[in-house]
Amino acid sequence: MSSTIVLYPTPAIGHLISMVELGKLILKTKPSLTIHILIATAPYNAGDTSPYIAAVSAAIPSITFHHLPPVSLPPHLSASSTHHETLTFELLRLNKPIVLQALRSISRNDTVHAVIMDFFCAETLTVPAQLNIPGFIFYTSGAASLAAFLYLPILHRKSDQSFKDQNTLLDIPGVPPIPSSDMFKPTLDRNDKVYHDFLDCTRHFPEATGMIVNTFESLEPRAVKAITDGLCVPDGVTPPIHCIGPLTVTKEGKGVVRPKTLTWLDSQPSRSVVFLCFGSLGSFSAEQLREIAVGLERSGQRFLWVVRSPVSVATSGLPDPDLDSLLPAGFLERTSERGLVVKNWAPQVEVLSHDSVGGFVTHCGWNSVLEAVCAGVPMVAWPLYAEQRFNRVVLVEELKLALPINESENGLVCASEVEKRVGELMDSESGDSVRNRVLAMKNEAEAALKDGGSSRVAFTQLTESWN
């Protein structure tokens, strides 16, 4: 019988990619193991993951994907009117007996040393426990937001108001004071089912054998210490925390054709370009796109900007944005000497690593934050969804790796704010301060992953506990 680790991500492509990267890291350090990944069918349109799964399967024979049979959600939960997170929690709940069956099936041929599941799957920790298999949580964001998640039941008891109505600063161990309105977007309204889904989820975290976090100790020392010292679960047990990051995307092989974005960057001066990219779900209104364009033009800075179709258009299935109709008349021509606008996608890791890139306007998704840190690129923090507003507070106030973008009361970021922040990042003392801090943190990230570094040591201890 071979020895194996079973991974259980949620269906969204970002969570799947993070889990596969963890699988690759396990195989790199323990090549004798095999990896089994359980794939649940998304209860909403989460994008097609089959090309990605096929590519990983072809490149890494030690990783096997198991597609779990689809389940029917209750009729009152429709994909069009329910939070994606609520649909995901319901799917994972209904999947528990199927996961038990899958683990029993895998165990007939292999010795399962551990099951590692996405934090959304915390309620499923009871399943490997039934089979006496250690169950771990893989938390794909940072230690600060994990501290807040662990502390959520305490915050729930402290007030009977929704976060969106509290208008206060939240005091969470290991974290700077958080405006209540900057808590994770799905948890802002306690009358919403998704709030209680997250609350129930966090109550299961203490059942884990351990928690694996995609961060490194010197990036978030205060949050890591607060969790380790048990301050975030004062009335219960905190499982051991394993900070193994930064874990970022690695490509299988190199493409033959070099993307246009990189050849354009080749012709730009060192550290002169600001890169604007807002993640796979980052879509703006047409009005907001025009404000960004005006701000970029007025700033006089060189820029590389990834534009997606506006929200209303994207949902109606028009994949490519029509730049001429979305952006101000003549914008592309007037800025052609110093700017490049690309549709939908750019190779983010390669762009951030390019010598010409000197700044990054980001939605504060944790993977993007780590990619910027690893490349030594300072950030402007422009959060959109999930835990990103929380991440902005941590990045700006605690880690000092980013400058904030400030929205108007109606949520719009005006052109003058874009102009101001981009200029400040690329050419000011405060921009230089953030840049120096990020470059120092880049060295810390490299040190954490080397022999004897904190993340390497934590990962070794984790894998040795499976023997």
Side-chain angles (χ1 to χ4, degrees):
M1 289 178 92
S2 64
S3 297
T4 195
I5 306 295
V6 175
L7 308 182
Y8 184 30
T10 59
I13 182 74
H15 289 250
L16 171 61
I17 290 171
S18 293
M19 198 64 92
V20 169
E21 292 301 327
L22 178 62
K24 289 181 192 173
L25 181 63
I26 292 168
L27 291 174
K28 190 175 165 187
T29 53
K30 292 271 183 183
S32 60
L33 291 172
T34 59
I35 303 286
H36 290 264
I37 302 182
L38 308 181
I39 301 293
T41 305
Y44 56 90
N45 182 6
D48 184 9
T49 57
S50 51
Y52 172 74
I53 288 172
V56 172
S57 299
I60 311 172
S62 298
I63 296 182
T64 305
F65 292 89
H66 299 260
H67 291 270
L68 304 177
V71 295
S72 299
L73 295 185
H76 69 276
L77 292 179
S78 75
S80 58
S81 63
T82 310
H83 283 288
H84 285 172
E85 291 91 351
T86 292
L87 296 171
T88 300
F89 280 122
E90 191 61 33
L91 168 81
L92 297 170
R93 208 167 283 135
L94 294 170
N95 260 348
K96 284 172 69 176
I98 298 170
V99 170
L100 179 61
Q101 209 176 339
L103 286 178
R104 281 186 170 139
S105 170
I106 293 167
S107 299
R108 286 191 198 109
N109 303 310
D110 298 310
T111 304
V112 180
H113 286 284
V115 177
I116 302 173
M117 54 187 75
D118 192 283
F119 72 95
F120 273 89
C121 309
E123 190 183 323
T124 311
L125 284 164
T126 55
V127 173
Q130 280 177 258
L131 304 175
N132 292 318
I133 299 169
F136 292 82
I137 290 289
F138 179 38
Y139 191 74
T140 49
S141 193
S145 64
L146 175 59
F149 257 130
L150 290 168
Y151 203 64
L152 190 59
I154 304 292
L155 294 174
H156 177 74
R157 291 202 294 271
K158 280 185 175 178
S159 172
D160 56 7
Q161 273 188 309
S162 294
F163 290 132
K164 68 183 177 66
D165 301 322
Q166 287 183 28
N167 194 24
T168 186
L169 290 172
L170 300 173
D171 183 20
I172 299 167
V175 175
I178 300 288
S180 52
S181 57
D182 282 346
M183 276 297 277
F184 317 129
K185 205 163 187 177
T187 67
L188 290 178
D189 185 353
R190 73 191 285 146
N191 298 315
D192 207 325
K193 184 179 185 309
V194 71
Y195 171 89
H196 295 279
D197 288 331
F198 274 106
L199 190 60
D200 291 342
C201 174
T202 61
R203 286 171 174 153
H204 287 285
F205 277 26
E207 297 165 19
T209 306
M211 293 183 292
I212 303 163
V213 190
N214 189 9
T215 192
F216 52 104
E217 279 187 30
S218 55
L219 178 65
E220 302 183 88
R222 221 160 61 87
V224 171
K225 186 173 191 316
I227 297 169
T228 307
D229 290 351
L231 302 181
C232 302
V233 190
D235 51 358
V237 177
T238 303
I241 174 176
H242 308 274
C243 297
I244 57 132
L247 185 59
T248 57
V249 174
T250 54
K251 289 278 188 291
E252 302 310 325
K254 294 278 182 196
V256 180
V257 182
R258 200 153 185 264
K260 172 187 172 186
T261 43
L262 299 181
T263 53
W264 181 81
L265 285 170
D266 292 342
S267 65
Q268 306 304 314
S270 177
R271 302 281 174 264
S272 68
V273 176
V274 61
F275 176 46
L276 299 91
C277 189
F278 299 92
S280 55
L281 300 173
S283 189
F284 290 110
S285 67
E287 183 185 9
Q288 183 64 82
L289 289 173
R290 285 191 289 274
E291 293 290 325
I292 296 172
V294 173
L296 285 175
E297 185 170 358
R298 285 189 196 150
S299 76
Q301 300 292 335
R302 297 171 191 271
F303 64 87
L304 170 59
W305 179 19
V306 180
V307 173
R308 305 175 76 83
S309 288
V311 184
S312 58
V313 176
T315 49
S316 66
L318 188 73
D320 262 9
D322 178 358
L323 298 180
D324 289 322
S325 70
L326 288 170
L327 304 179
F331 168 79
L332 293 170
E333 294 74 26
R334 290 193 303 274
T335 58
S336 61
E337 294 292 308
R338 60 179 174 83
L340 178 66
V341 180
V342 295
K343 298 177 181 182
N344 293 332
W345 181 84
Q348 183 165 294
V349 173
E350 292 93 326
V351 167
L352 287 170
S353 307
H354 198 286
D355 177 67
S356 297
V357 173
F360 182 28
V361 181
T362 172
H363 63 310
C364 305
W366 192 248
N367 287 338
S368 293
V369 168
L370 290 180
E371 287 163 10
V373 168
C374 290
V377 177
M379 290 164 271
V380 168
W382 187 338
L384 299 178
Y385 51 89
E387 89 290 14
Q388 293 162 11
R389 291 181 72 92
F390 180 97
N391 287 347
R392 171 173 61 184
V393 179
V394 174
L395 284 170
V396 172
E397 304 296 336
E398 176 92 353
L399 307 184
K400 297 183 170 36
L401 301 175
L403 301 173
I405 276 268
N406 297 312
E407 302 98 338
S408 314
E409 279 189 19
N410 62 1
L412 192 76
V413 173
C414 59
S416 59
E417 176 71 4
V418 175
E419 175 189 4
K420 175 186 168 187
R421 290 303 181 186
V422 165
E424 188 183 0
L425 183 71
M426 301 301 281
D427 187 20
S428 79
E429 276 187 30
S430 53
D432 289 345
S433 169
V434 169
R435 179 171 287 101
N436 292 336
R437 175 93 178 136
V438 174
L439 287 169
M441 205 48 73
K442 175 188 179 183
N443 295 333
E444 294 278 349
E446 288 167 358
L449 295 173
K450 285 182 178 160
D451 280 340
S454 63
S455 294
R456 178 70 73 87
V457 168
F459 193 72
T460 302
Q461 288 172 342
L462 173 68
T463 54
E464 284 179 353
S465 75
W466 299 335
N467 292 338

